[in-house]
Amino acid sequence: MAHIHLEDGSFTVFWVLVWWVIAVLLIGIALYLLRSSKKPDPKKITIAAFVTTAAFAIFQVQVPIFGGVHLNLTPLIGILAGPLLGSLIIFVVNILSAAIGHGGWGLVGANILVNLSEVFVAWIAFRMMKKFVSSRFSQAGIAAIAALLVGNLVMMGIILVSGIQGVHQTPGELLTGLSLLAAVNMGVAVIEAFITGFIIVYIGKIRPDLLEGGKE
Amino acid sequence: MNLKENSGLIIFGVLAIVVVLAAFIALETTGTMGIEDRYNQAVGLPAGDEEKEGGFSLEGNPLMYIGILVVLVALSLVFHRYLGKV
């Protein structure tokens, strides 16, 4: 659930452009790989559409704990849609969210990178966990926690590298503040892990074929 | 439940407990606040509507905001026109 909630203008134009360019490059690579691979599985396209809608909706819902937070469903996106379709989903969700005022335009690039890391790690972790753990709930839950931890680390890295305009904090002070923020975020990550676990168990019961296709 | 299944639940449970404990310790340190205020506090920005020092800003500028939205819609149409067959 790492989503950078800073105003436009927090990063300099240079860093806004850097994160946007990297994000567009990664999405371009995903698009290229999708187009050059065999015809996409219609089931995957359908599930991608569903998780895009669900993720966009849940982005906008403030959960009244820890002073107000929102979930992302990025681990679920990674597990169900994979990193290629997942990167397009993340792009759409972040653009639509910025279009209704959730997150600044200038931060969309950085937020896409944060969410992409979550999607990618969830996808890998879920598949790796299958070797060690048989319960789908645990596979998905552990993958979600790992993904959201990495997402928080990427979020911290992006803010530390970019710096904040008009703020005169030492890197140490910034790191301390961001670490506390990430720790609170991770508390919410546990809720997201439970939700992801239950959804995966449910899908595994009614449509196990949607979980078996680990390849893209 | 077999050992493999139990071990998964144990790992998940331990992870969840450690993470929640860390979250509560962090929450005790920072206090309860909204998500934007939490980010502002973490990076040392003034909370709420207080003015911050200069710099590039789009916030509160509807024209710029609509402008960017129009550019993105136009770009999407162009991309869809030429690259639309995924």
Side-chain angles (χ1 to χ4, degrees), chain A residues 27 29-31 33-34 37 81-89 119 216:
Chain A
I27 288 161
I29 291 169
L31 200 56
L33 291 173
L34 276 173
S37 63
L84 299 183
L85 278 173
S87 60
L88 302 185
I89 295 170
V119 165
E216 277 194 299

Side-chain angles (χ1 to χ4, degrees), chain B:
Chain B
M1 267 198 252
N2 60 28
L3 182 67
K4 212 175 167 189
E5 192 158 343
N6 273 336
S7 65
L9 285 174
I10 291 168
I11 294 169
F12 177 69
V14 170
L15 267 177
I17 289 167
V18 169
V19 165
V20 167
L21 279 177
F24 274 108
I25 292 169
L27 196 65
E28 278 297 306
T29 312
T30 58
T32 303
M33 62 186 80
I35 197 161
E36 279 85 10
D37 288 340
R38 188 173 297 289
Y39 269 84
N40 285 343
Q41 188 201 50
V43 301
L45 281 169
D49 296 329
E50 287 178 50
E51 278 295 311
K52 69 182 174 78
E53 290 177 36
F56 150 79
S57 182
L58 296 174
E59 204 79 21
N61 187 339
L63 270 182
M64 189 75 99
Y65 183 81
I66 291 168
I68 292 174
L69 192 57
V70 168
V71 169
L72 283 169
V73 169
L75 280 175
S76 303
L77 288 174
V78 170
F79 284 137
H80 186 262
R81 171 78 177 78
Y82 293 102
L83 305 167
K85 284 179 263 173
V86 174

